[in-house]
Amino acid sequence: MNMKLKHLAWAFLALPLAYSCGQGGNKESKEETSKVVADTVKQCYTASFEGDSAILDLKVIDSVKVIGDLVIKYAEKPHNNGIVRGEFKGDTLYVDYSFKTGQNKQEFSNPLVFLKQGTNLKMGVGVIETSFGRSYFAKDKPINFERGKFDFVTTECK
């Protein structure tokens, strides 16, 4: 009987410790959740070029990480519709664009780059390399923002 009392006593001593550890974790995750919400800014853009147009809706998290939607409507071919994910490095936004073309069920992925100019974004053109099934901009080749097809201007988010 004495052994059962010892185990019961240890259980009662451990209970407040377990409770306090559980409470601390909940508090921290609530703070992290509210921080993400507080540091997320929605930014929306439109662009057009020779009959083609694009709509870019972004969520910028902590002024660096980016996730959003990009739809490119071509005048002469099916439109692209997909998701961009990436981050700002200084005034340059690097993203991976995962998209589908028209009614095609196959998903494609391409890197895109934008230069922030004031409140606008200028799409750049560069040499793309592929390694292990992943495409990226060549590190030793410059990105040309003058030859980019789209100049995205800020617009009201819907």
Side-chain angles (χ1 to χ4, degrees), residues 48-68:
S48 61
F49 180 81
E50 296 180 358
D52 300 338
S53 63
I55 300 168
L56 178 62
D57 294 338
L58 299 177
K59 289 181 185 172
V60 182
I61 304 162
D62 292 335
S63 302
V64 179
K65 301 253 185 244
V66 174
I67 187 167

Side-chain angles (χ1 to χ4, degrees), residues 92-104:
T92 307
L93 173 60
Y94 293 89
V95 297
D96 288 319
Y97 180 39
S98 299
F99 63 96
K100 293 181 181 178
T101 300
Q103 298 301 316
N104 190 342

Side-chain angles (χ1 to χ4, degrees), residues 110-140:
N110 282 332
L112 298 177
V113 63
F114 303 90
L115 180 63
K116 189 162 183 90
Q117 297 177 320
T119 58
N120 299 336
L121 294 173
K122 172 87 174 155
M123 183 183 277
V125 177
V127 176
I128 296 175
E129 296 177 345
T130 303
S131 177
F132 299 108
R134 181 167 164 79
S135 298
Y136 54 91
F137 287 100
K139 295 187 188 299
D140 59 342

